[in-house]
Amino acid sequence: MKRFSLNKMLVWSLFGICVLWLVIPFTLAILWSFVDPSEPWTPDHLLPPVMSFARWEYLWEHSSLKVAMLNSYLLAPSAALLTLTLAMPTAYALGRLHFKGKEAVKLLVLLPLVVPGFVTAIFFTAILFQMGLHAWRFGAILFAHSILFLPYAIRIMSVSFEQVRQNHIDAARDLGATPFARWKVAYFPALKPGVMATLLIVFIYSIEEFAIAFIVGSPNFTTIPTLLFTNLGANFIRPNAAVISLILVVPNVVLMLFLERLLKSANPALSSGKG
Amino acid sequence: MNTVSVQNVSMRFGDFTAVDDVSFTVADGEFVTLLGPSGCGKTTLLNVVSGFLQPSAGKIEIGGVDVTFVPPEKRDTAMCFQSYALFPHLSVAENLQFGLKQKRLPAAERKQRLNDVAEKLDLVAQLEKLPNQLSGGQQQRVALGRALTMRPSVVLFDEPLSNLDAKLRESVRLEIRKIQADYNLAAIYVTHDQGEALAMSDRILIMRNGKIEQSGTPTEIYNFPQTSFVADFIGDANILDATIIGQESEDFWRVSTEIGELLVKSDTPPIAKRLKICWRPENAQFGAGEMNSIEAPITHRAFQGNYTDLFIEMNGVAQRVQWRRSHLEDITSLSMNIRPEDIIFLEAMT
Amino acid sequence: MKRWLKISLLLMPGLGLILIFIGSVVYIAIAQSFGYFNLSGESGFSLEYWAKMFDRLSYSRAIGYSLYIGVASAFLAVIFAYPLAIWLRRPFAGSLFISAVLKAPLLVHGLVVAFLYINIISYNGIVNQLLQALGIWDGPHRLQNDSGAVGVLILQTWKNMPFALLLLSGAVQAIGDDLLDAAADLGAGPFDRFRRVIAPLAVSATQAALVIVFVGALADFSFQVIAGPINKQSLSQLMVFFKGYGRWHDAAVIAVTLMGLGIAGSGVLALFSRFVLRGGRLS
């Protein structure tokens, strides 16, 4: 009885803290993004005195936001497709074949996650300079993203390949299926959630990636995160930063929630963090 | 003296009553088994005794002291878990001493108890190993040893043998019983295996739907089940609806059933005019007798090794007979009789 | 032989590219730190860049500062996550909601987190207003870029605690109820159950959480630039600074330092946590 009410109190206090933790910061960000340039939001007002979409319209028309969004939303799907394509053969080998050194391969695949992002970014740029390719920014960032996010893709896809059931393949063969029919009946259903999850996760990570885009892309190739960074630093205008923050965070949160569901249905171990 | 006394204990989870007003006692050195199908409340009851659950109503006394609201770590009970629950990061020796260290016993005493238990349970060679390096039977013994080193007033067993294979189970049964007797411990043993219960227990409490259906020694329970549930749960039984049609003498009654009129000899009178009766398939007597003779066609048979199950049918009612004779292949109908004393009165019909 | 070839070919586009890419990045960082791959002058082995760097005060201070941020963030994240993981071990009414809210920061981009934070602690922000309204402060205080790097630690904890929670919850939930019941039955109270059963069994998850948070926070760039102390620089910041001036060799020295510290620090943290959680034993 005593423990029960204690727990209830804990739940409610934590609930309160969590609301403060998330609701207040985001509410403030949303309010700031609606501050009309005609009158500043001074501390004596609880809400911005004049609210409008002026900041949104201004940024859309007069800043590099449009270009940044175009870059980000071109880069992300390309990186997702390229990563998936590159990951498939390795994932197949890890998921369906037995060979010596498989565990070592699984570990080595994680290398891009271990090297600090800015080290990778800077010395990837150094390589580009050495090779005289530093003008080729979009391609360079796309290439770097695809390799950087390979560990996630290989991990998810090799689990998917493991889940293809040998007896389904055997049954299909036994019933005289052609290789294509076998693929359709045995591989495709097991791989589909993994493919979706891989595309989504690389898409999100590519949109969010900052170090490579910032270092390789500087000074004139912008993505949403690099634009936000410049707006948080030298030319800090709070309402503008609020608008870009929301543009960066809202679609990704929606996609992430979608991803969480997908991973849960594809493989419970991955979403619970034990993977 | 009673070591454990469970008084009017009920356990409710929301609308569901898992244990319903149960009372029983366990004496020093007595081995009591809670037997029943899954979901009958036996494990819940064990968890109430061990302190993992606090009962919705009622009282638990251990050694005459009320411990109803004492947490498990302060209770003088030791539990042998179904999953063994050995600490995977600790060696066998450390597992065996875990509770002793919690009690802050001096090292010399710990060592002495450890050696004592390790020797009794034949674990001396395994002391430095980790649990996952042991076989199932060895792990089971470590779990038992870990409970025994505590020298508790009562040991609680939660289906401790269900993860062992059949052969091993029989030898561990004997071992548990021997050690329990050596230490003169009170024991409460939960199982759904009737064979285990019959072989090990001083007393069996048969549970059903959170209540104790019947309690008694294994022979009492087997020979004189009081309800069709008990008759059917312990051993095999042919259960019939019967109507009393007359009393022949002091302890002889005549009943009418679907398979004909039968004569029943019973020390206790029937509790209603219409009631259930049963007889055990192995008590069928070969050939026609003076009383309760039956002749019926055999519908099917199943060879079981040391006996053969024969199913006969009379007036649409199937009866099972166990025949300790081989070469029954050519028989198509059976002539048999049931002795009046082998027929048992059960509960009233509803 | 044919099988060996098939597997190698399959591994080429995945593992092969990773090894080539990361391998050449690490190789060029190390080589440049020793004077090779000079873009503007003569290339060749030289310890000059290391020697000069060791003499710079900004270098040693950046090492100290980055190590401080890395270690403090790692411990803060784990210290906050542990009790929550144990509390949320068994589901109860509202526990799903709470763990969802606690994990929400995983979905928020680091730069956005930094923005939300400086928005709240700004000169006329809600924290200043609240403390003034409560009469604790007379006037607004400047909280951004505080010299103790409290801001950076708050941001790191906010961002990394959910991750540590995810790892620790997995480990703590994997410990069966039976095991904890057995410990209680043998006389272990709540603290002893943590110390002697949960902690030793969650060692690897704790190590993983500490190391991953440490490596990330050690190499922190954005939180430091946006919310960190103005008079201190993190290693990444210094590295980006050198790169900005085309001083590749100096940047390379810092990159190698960063990787070296990451490996050494992870090792120390892993051993330390194992030692503490196993109750002072290493074996």
Side-chain angles (χ1 to χ4, degrees), chain A residues 28 30 37 53 58 80 83 114 139 156 164-165 168-169 171 253-254:
Chain A
L28 280 176
I30 293 167
F53 279 100
Y58 174 83
T83 309
V114 183
I156 296 173
V164 176
R165 301 211 355 223
H168 287 171
I169 304 174
V253 168
V254 174

Side-chain angles (χ1 to χ4, degrees), chain C residues 88-222:
Chain C
L88 295 169
R89 197 179 77 86
R90 278 201 244 196
F92 52 86
S95 68
L96 265 183
F97 178 78
I98 287 177
S99 61
V101 170
L102 286 174
K103 284 171 191 161
L106 282 175
L107 310 184
V108 183
H109 194 277
L111 289 169
V112 177
V113 176
F115 168 71
L116 296 177
Y117 173 74
I118 59 174
N119 215 358
I120 282 179
I121 59 145
S122 64
Y123 193 69
N124 283 317
I126 193 163
V127 172
N128 260 313
Q129 301 258 340
L130 188 71
L131 286 166
Q132 285 174 67
L134 291 173
I136 297 173
W137 286 349
D138 294 333
H141 286 222
R142 188 184 153 78
L143 299 172
Q144 203 178 333
N145 308 103
D146 66 291
S147 60
V150 175
V152 177
L153 290 181
I154 290 178
L155 287 174
Q156 290 285 3
T157 310
W158 198 86
K159 189 75 181 127
N160 288 317
M161 192 282 284
F163 182 73
L165 179 63
L166 206 63
L167 284 176
L168 290 175
S169 305
V172 169
Q173 274 163 13
I175 299 171
D177 283 348
D178 267 5
L179 216 55
L180 295 176
D181 282 354
D185 191 53
L186 293 166
F191 180 69
D192 274 327
R193 289 204 286 274
F194 169 74
R195 192 171 64 99
R196 302 203 42 202
V197 182
I198 296 178
L201 286 174
V203 168
S204 25
T206 316
Q207 284 176 322
L210 279 175
V211 165
I212 292 171
V213 176
F214 166 77
V215 169
L218 179 76
D220 168 49
F221 174 79
S222 5

